[in-house]
Amino acid sequence: MGAFSIFERSSSSSSSSKVLLNQSTFWQNKLLQQKKFLVPVQQRRVHSRKAGAAGVRRGINNPVAALSEDLVKGAASSAVPGAAEKPVKFKVRAVLTVRKNIKEDFKETLVNQFDALTEKIGRNVVLELVGTEGPKKSREAVLKDWSKKSNVKAERVHYTAEFLVDSNFGTPGAITVANKHQKEFFLETITIEGFACGPVHFQCNSWVQSTKDHPGKRIFFANQPYLPSETPAGLRALREKELKDIRGTGKGVRKLSDRIYDYDVYNDLGNPDRGSEFVRPSLGGEQRPYPRRCRTGRLPTDTDMHAESRIEKPLPIYVPRDEQFEESKQDAFSAGRLQGVLHNLIPLLKASISARNQDFSGFADIDSLYSEGLLLNLGLKDGLLKKLPLPNVVSKIQESSQGLLKYNSPKILSRDKFAWLRDDEFARQALAGAFPPVSNLDPKIYGPQESALKEEHIIGQLDGMSVQQALEENKLYVLDFHDIYLPFLDRINALDGRKSYATRTIFFLNSLGTLKPIAIELSLPPSGPSPRSKRVLTPAADATSNWLWQLAKAHVCSNDAGVHQLVNHWLRTHACMEPFILAAHRQLSAMHPIYKLLDPHMRYTLEINALARQNLINADGVIESCFTPGRYCMEMSAAAYKNWRFDKEGLPADLIRRGMAVPDPTQPHGLKLLIEDYPYAADGLLIWSAIEDWVRTYVNHYYPNSSQICDDKELQSWYAESINTGHADLRHESWWPTLSNGDDLVSILTTIIWLASAQHAALNFGQYPYGGYVPNRPPLMRRLVPDENDPEYTSFLAGPHKYFLLALPSVLQATKYMAVVDTLSTHSPDEEYLGERQQPWIWSGDGEITEAFFEFSAEIGRIEKEIEKRNSDPSRRNRCGAGVLPYELLVPSSEPGVTCKGVPNSVSI
């Protein structure tokens, strides 16, 4: 079968990667026994990652070539003068790799045995080869040895089939598969051996359904990419048919086995049939603009024809079959743990935390969650919890029905237990945008647009500078949550146990290059001439003002946690990416080079988004119960979408928009950071540039001139549908980038890959390391900051420590939140990181591109070493110092678990 180069990360190599050569001696020996013609192994130039790529250049240079003896004889006879030039028949062989489920229930075992039996009466897997030129097809072939291998327990099982083809068949370009068994199977790869061009590879990675459920044949294309205009004649009709099948008709209820990608609005978050408290507005449309999600076609609810009926946990919600988590992902930390937390641990927490134990009485109570554990009433769930891949250690107390739930100590506590109290740490976690703040809300509804922050609040904290001088030297920065929260505050503060402000925080950049907070503005909706509608606090001058300052910082962190989760994380990297993924499947053929480029960056996103709609962002779900906005969480997310701009989502444009950088063509990335030691930006720009260089190489390879981009009907349809259907509510905005040349395409693709990989990683995998200690980043607050006119002020003075704890989430709210974000911050063992791909040696039949990908992977390895170097540099005080956590969220690789680092290819958790 040839030489395969398999690259994997290695901490010992300078490029953090190495090439392993695995020569398939079994197949070489078999082919030799059958007197096939082989390319000598010595001729294979595979001595480095670069050479490994050259070794698979277009799939034809170095792999083993195997020719049938019959074909050789036929070719020899045709060379004899006067011999008939009639095509001869010869055999070629297919090797199919099928991935099996390791765990099977009794029903699945029975079906497998039934399929093995019915193989003998013709109910088998039938394949047919299709040539690239003209309507050339092989005779149908049957998969061999299915029944013999039915009891094999390996993760991957190899099957063979033999085709009879004419000598003028040409190059195989597609293969059809009809599964006449009762059960679906996961087809990973197909390799065709026996053609003069050498092995032909098909990267399938797809579920093949039974013909009883889905009549017709599945189509798989060889790994050679083709633009639509370059599609060989023999494949054009199949290319169109496959896309038509994937798009569906837009009608009917989707079955879990379907492979149909379509759009719908977010009309399934509420459940009006359960009562008015579970009613939620539909998101998407003129009233509440929002991105579209994957259509399921479920029937409407009984009480609201515009609301889609819900599928409640633990029943699965529809996503196209190939988007569902694979078994390894289901059983691994992320998916399996999420299900375990949502379906078992959270109900257990609710049942175990008594009414008398609702609040933390002291910081020691919070510390004990990590050291001693939380007492749970296990009851009948003892055995069940032991089997679940829960994020925490649940140990049963001997001879009782109780157990201890122990949380892992968050990383924020690892170097300095009291770091969260320091102003510099508060600032380090909150690098934001430039000063001064101005509201864009309607002053007739929300009061004056000017901030209450005045020069007198900050003048004494600028290290001797005037305010004007500090502004001119880019020393003042603001963390501004005013406009996103203020329109919702009346409704939020009317909720039971929820209290919030719309906050603004001013930071000063000192001579050491670190920020310090110098003023916090707390705004409430204007209710007449109330002096409390806007209030400014400054750093502590005495004991009382110290506790008021700590409470104000906690409200800022709560604002930040809400916007982080609902806007920056969910909206910008989950919801806004889904339309691009749906359109890619619907409009780009699997043989399109841009589909092949995007494929690893779309993995699992539709599934995790569907799980979120079912369990996290739904009415009374985890997000509503854990974050300050409560039932208004998703309406706040929709309000933020009105200001979302795809053209500002790339890292350089985002930094400039937020005032954290200025354009500078003399700098490596075309901009200058105003805070030089800004770890997210500095590390992110390295990754952004590596992605951009890789994408530019890729785009220039397939589109040497702009006319090819304009004439690519699949590419143009993908981008147009992403905007006009997937982001329909913003389709008329003038800021959408055009797609008319190579630079346009490079920018669009780099932005999408950046958002799916590095941007999502930076937002997601630090949630438990920083938020797992609730006082550091409380997801909700239950009390306002008291002033001297409040009835609560006396109790605050008498016990500020107790008042602070009562303002934080309750024990149930905190422990539920901690369990969920611990799970969401976890890497699976099967995680695929930036610079990695499934089947890296065959994902593309284009050797130049394979080589360029290996070079991209090596660059990602170099970036990882540079980040490690920066984290050890004492001059970089925002990432190195006493009690300061290194910034590792953009370190590309990671081991499984909660590590606070690692950049997966896609939004997969």
Side-chain angles (χ1 to χ4, degrees):
M1 290 178 66
F4 301 115
S5 38
I6 306 172
F7 71 93
E8 57 184 33
R9 298 191 178 274
S10 170
S11 58
S12 61
S13 67
S14 60
S15 65
S16 83
S17 56
K18 60 182 179 180
V19 176
L20 302 179
L21 183 64
N22 178 16
Q23 298 171 356
S24 184
T25 53
F26 171 79
W27 289 117
Q28 291 177 23
N29 293 335
K30 292 288 286 184
L31 293 171
L32 284 166
Q33 291 166 13
Q34 295 171 23
K35 300 181 181 179
K36 307 293 184 187
F37 292 82
L38 299 174
V39 174
V41 176
Q42 292 87 341
Q43 294 180 13
R44 298 184 201 137
R45 292 175 23 250
V46 187
H47 54 80
S48 68
R49 170 171 288 181
K50 191 169 182 178
V56 290
R57 184 180 306 277
R58 295 197 178 274
I60 61 174
N61 287 356
N62 290 331
V64 174
L67 299 178
S68 165
E69 281 188 32
D70 294 335
L71 179 58
V72 174
K73 290 175 182 176
S77 65
S78 67
V80 177
E85 294 188 6
K86 181 181 178 181
V88 298
K89 302 285 186 183
F90 70 102
K91 291 180 180 179
V92 296
R93 182 167 67 163
V95 179
L96 286 77
T97 301
V98 173
R99 191 164 66 228
K100 300 187 71 173
N101 287 339
I102 301 302
K103 297 178 181 178
E104 289 184 347
D105 58 27
F106 181 67
K107 181 181 176 181
E108 288 177 317
T109 303
L110 282 180
V111 173
N112 283 338
Q113 295 300 325
F114 182 76
D115 283 340
L117 289 173
T118 55
E119 273 267 322
K120 298 173 183 177
I121 59 171
R123 296 190 61 82
N124 38 35
V125 178
V126 180
L127 307 107
E128 186 178 43
L129 268 182
V130 181
T132 56
E133 301 302 328
K136 294 181 180 178
K137 297 182 180 179
S138 70
R139 292 186 182 177
E140 289 187 341
V142 173
L143 206 61
K144 295 180 179 180
D145 298 332
W146 189 280
S147 57
K148 287 184 181 179
K149 297 181 179 181
S150 61
N151 292 320
V152 174
K153 298 300 182 184
E155 183 180 358
R156 289 172 176 81
V157 181
H158 303 288
Y159 301 93
T160 60
E162 286 190 342
F163 298 97
L164 198 62
V165 297
D166 290 339
S167 55
N168 63 357
F169 182 85
T171 305
I175 190 167
T176 63
V177 182
N179 174 17
K180 298 182 180 179
H181 291 161
Q182 294 290 307
K183 185 186 172 188
E184 65 178 6
F185 63 88
F186 189 85
L187 182 56
E188 198 168 75
T189 60
I190 304 174
T191 300
I192 307 296
E193 301 169 310
F195 286 94
C197 64
V200 180
H201 299 289
F202 296 74
Q203 188 184 37
C204 306
N205 292 321
S206 181
W207 290 95
V208 180
Q209 300 299 323
S210 168
T211 52
K212 72 179 177 63
D213 297 319
H214 292 267
K217 301 175 180 178
R218 281 295 309 279
I219 303 166
F220 296 101
F221 297 105
N223 64 349
Q224 182 62 42
Y226 295 104
L227 295 175
S229 61
E230 299 170 349
T231 309
L235 305 180
R236 289 173 193 158
L238 290 178
R239 184 170 186 152
E240 290 295 328
K241 183 183 185 304
E242 175 72 354
L243 284 174
K244 184 178 179 182
D245 290 345
I246 283 174
R247 292 181 195 128
T249 63
K251 300 176 182 178
V253 179
R254 297 273 65 84
K255 298 182 295 184
L256 290 175
S257 57
D258 286 346
R259 292 174 57 246
I260 294 175
Y261 296 77
D262 207 349
Y263 303 90
D264 209 341
V265 296
Y266 281 73
N267 62 349
D268 63 342
L269 301 181
N271 191 351
D273 291 348
R274 285 184 64 187
S276 59
E277 67 270 30
F278 293 97
V279 173
R280 295 294 181 272
S282 176
L283 305 182
E286 187 175 343
Q287 189 174 359
R288 290 182 181 85
Y290 213 62
R292 300 303 187 258
R293 48 94 172 177
C294 184
R295 179 184 179 274
T296 67
R298 296 194 302 268
L299 298 175
T301 61
D302 294 334
T303 53
D304 184 351
M305 289 298 293
H306 299 292
E308 187 173 271
S309 57
R310 287 184 56 78
I311 298 290
E312 300 293 355
K313 58 188 181 186
L315 296 175
I317 187 171
Y318 171 78
V319 292
R321 183 65 182 98
D322 290 341
E323 304 302 319
Q324 296 171 29
F325 288 147
E326 297 166 13
E327 184 185 35
S328 59
K329 180 82 170 180
Q330 283 283 12
D331 289 344
F333 291 113
S334 51
R337 288 171 61 159
L338 184 59
Q339 297 293 336
V341 167
L342 294 171
H343 304 160
N344 298 279
L345 185 58
I346 286 178
L348 204 58
L349 288 169
K350 290 180 180 178
S352 301
I353 297 173
S354 67
R356 292 171 297 176
N357 187 30
Q358 287 187 338
D359 301 309
F360 294 110
S361 60
F363 287 103
D365 290 353
I366 302 175
D367 295 341
S368 71
L369 293 174
Y370 317 111
S371 57
E372 299 171 21
L374 182 69
L375 198 63
L376 298 181
N377 296 316
L378 296 179
L380 298 175
K381 291 198 174 185
D382 174 32
L384 177 64
L385 285 170
K386 288 182 178 177
K387 296 176 183 177
L388 289 169
L390 290 174
N392 321 102
V393 181
V394 179
S395 56
K396 186 179 179 183
I397 298 175
Q398 193 172 11
E399 296 180 4
S400 78
S401 61
Q402 294 182 314
L404 285 174
L405 169 67
K406 285 178 67 175
Y407 287 85
N408 298 314
S409 183
K411 200 166 185 178
I412 186 64
L413 302 179
S414 63
R415 300 214 172 180
D416 183 351
K417 182 178 177 181
F418 302 105
W420 66 277
L421 283 167
R422 300 198 317 262
D423 283 358
D424 65 299
E425 180 63 24
F426 168 74
R428 198 180 70 88
Q429 294 181 34
L431 286 170
F435 187 86
V438 178
S439 174
N440 293 314
L441 298 175
D442 185 348
K444 296 178 182 177
I445 302 174
Y446 301 107
Q449 293 181 324
E450 295 76 23
S451 169
L453 289 158
K454 303 299 180 185
E455 186 169 332
E456 59 264 26
H457 292 125
I458 61 176
I459 187 62
Q461 304 180 66
L462 305 181
D463 292 355
M465 287 186 178
S466 67
V467 172
Q468 186 60 36
Q469 185 182 3
L471 286 170
E472 290 173 355
E473 296 186 20
N474 297 308
K475 296 291 187 180
L476 291 176
Y477 295 83
V478 62
L479 185 63
D480 192 345
F481 299 119
H482 181 275
D483 286 8
I484 185 67
Y485 272 92
L486 196 64
F488 294 91
L489 282 186
D490 277 332
R491 287 173 285 171
I492 291 172
N493 289 338
L495 295 172
D496 185 34
R498 305 293 170 101
K499 290 292 181 281
S500 183
Y501 296 97
T503 67
R504 289 186 178 117
T505 307
I506 306 301
F507 298 89
F508 175 69
L509 181 66
N510 62 31
S511 59
L512 297 175
T514 61
L515 294 173
K516 66 175 182 178
I518 57 176
I520 296 174
E521 179 189 62
L522 305 174
S523 295
L524 292 169
S527 50
S530 170
R532 286 197 57 196
S533 63
K534 290 186 179 180
R535 180 181 177 191
V536 176
L537 284 85
T538 53
D542 56 25
T544 301
S545 60
N546 175 65
W547 279 107
L548 293 173
W549 180 245
Q550 294 297 341
L551 279 165
K553 288 196 299 181
H555 273 281
V556 173
C557 290
S558 178
N559 271 190
D560 191 26
V563 170
H564 169 275
Q565 194 68 268
L566 302 170
V567 180
N568 296 327
H569 181 201
W570 166 257
L571 174 65
R572 293 173 62 188
T573 66
H574 284 260
C576 286
M577 285 298 97
E578 188 157 346
F580 292 100
I581 293 170
L582 290 169
H585 286 286
R586 288 167 53 85
Q587 300 298 339
L588 296 176
S589 167
M591 67 172 78
H592 197 293
I594 300 305
Y595 180 90
K596 289 181 176 291
L597 174 70
L598 290 176
D599 185 37
H601 306 291
M602 304 189 291
R603 188 185 187 208
Y604 295 147
T605 302
L606 297 186
E607 171 82 337
I608 195 62
N609 286 3
L611 282 174
R613 297 201 318 274
Q614 187 182 40
N615 300 310
L616 299 177
I617 63 173
N618 59 303
D620 201 36
V622 170
I623 299 298
E624 285 194 2
S625 61
C626 289
F627 288 87
T628 296
R631 63 179 295 153
Y632 306 108
C633 279
M634 291 307 292
E635 288 184 65
M636 182 180 288
S637 181
Y641 178 63
K642 295 176 184 178
N643 297 315
W644 178 82
R645 289 183 53 163
F646 180 74
D647 64 324
K648 302 296 185 184
E649 288 298 284
L651 179 60
D654 179 55
L655 292 171
I656 293 170
R657 171 181 59 176
R658 293 194 287 117
M660 303 302 291
V662 292
D664 186 345
T666 67
Q667 295 294 316
H669 309 288
L671 56 79
K672 178 184 178 182
L673 292 177
L674 297 182
I675 300 178
E676 188 175 340
D677 183 23
Y678 183 4
Y680 160 76
D683 295 354
L685 285 169
L686 295 178
I687 293 177
W688 169 271
S689 293
I691 295 171
E692 186 178 47
D693 290 346
W694 154 236
V695 171
R696 190 176 302 281
T697 299
Y698 196 95
V699 167
N700 290 344
H701 180 76
Y702 290 107
Y703 299 100
N705 58 69
S706 298
S707 63
Q708 291 176 291
I709 290 175
C710 296
D711 295 340
D712 188 333
K713 61 179 183 179
E714 286 186 9
L715 181 71
Q716 294 294 336
S717 296
W718 162 68
Y719 188 54
E721 186 175 283
S722 298
I723 297 170
N724 296 324
T725 306
H727 287 280
D729 304 325
L730 300 179
R731 66 187 181 277
H732 297 305
E733 297 292 340
S734 60
W735 46 254
W736 281 104
T738 57
L739 179 51
S740 57
N741 57 48
D743 288 342
D744 292 344
L745 183 56
V746 169
S747 176
I748 291 165
L749 294 172
T750 302
T751 298
I752 289 172
I753 294 171
W754 160 261
L755 290 169
S757 58
Q759 178 72 352
H760 177 259
L763 291 164
N764 185 73
F765 293 103
Q767 290 188 86
Y768 187 80
Y770 285 95
Y773 185 68
V774 169
N776 182 54
R777 286 180 61 82
L780 65 83
M781 294 293 285
R782 295 185 294 158
R783 292 190 177 191
L784 296 174
V785 180
D787 70 13
E788 295 177 359
N789 299 315
D790 287 333
E792 295 178 321
Y793 194 72
T794 303
S795 61
F796 163 72
L797 290 177
H801 156 275
K802 184 176 182 180
Y803 187 96
F804 183 88
L805 289 169
L806 290 174
L808 297 180
S810 67
V811 174
L812 175 59
Q813 290 167 332
T815 53
K816 182 161 65 170
Y817 169 76
M818 290 161 62
V820 172
V821 295
D822 179 86
T823 302
L824 297 178
S825 303
T826 300
H827 289 294
S828 296
D830 76 333
E831 201 85 84
E832 189 181 281
Y833 296 97
L834 196 63
E836 299 176 347
R837 286 196 72 127
Q838 290 182 313
Q839 296 107 25
W841 56 95
I842 65 165
W843 70 272
S844 175
D846 191 324
E848 289 182 33
I849 287 302
T850 309
E851 182 175 355
F853 177 75
F854 287 150
E855 290 172 356
F856 167 63
S857 177
E859 177 61 21
I860 294 299
R862 287 190 284 271
I863 289 171
E864 181 157 333
K865 291 195 173 298
E866 173 61 24
I867 294 174
E868 291 173 0
K869 181 181 175 183
R870 291 176 175 183
N871 282 331
S872 302
D873 183 354
S875 69
R876 300 177 185 266
R877 297 172 185 267
N878 286 318
R879 61 199 308 162
C880 183
V884 176
L885 290 180
Y887 187 81
E888 297 180 311
L889 287 169
L890 290 175
V891 170
S893 70
S894 173
E895 60 274 12
V898 180
T899 63
C900 203
K901 60 182 179 180
V903 179
N905 273 326
S906 64
V907 180
S908 59
I909 189 63

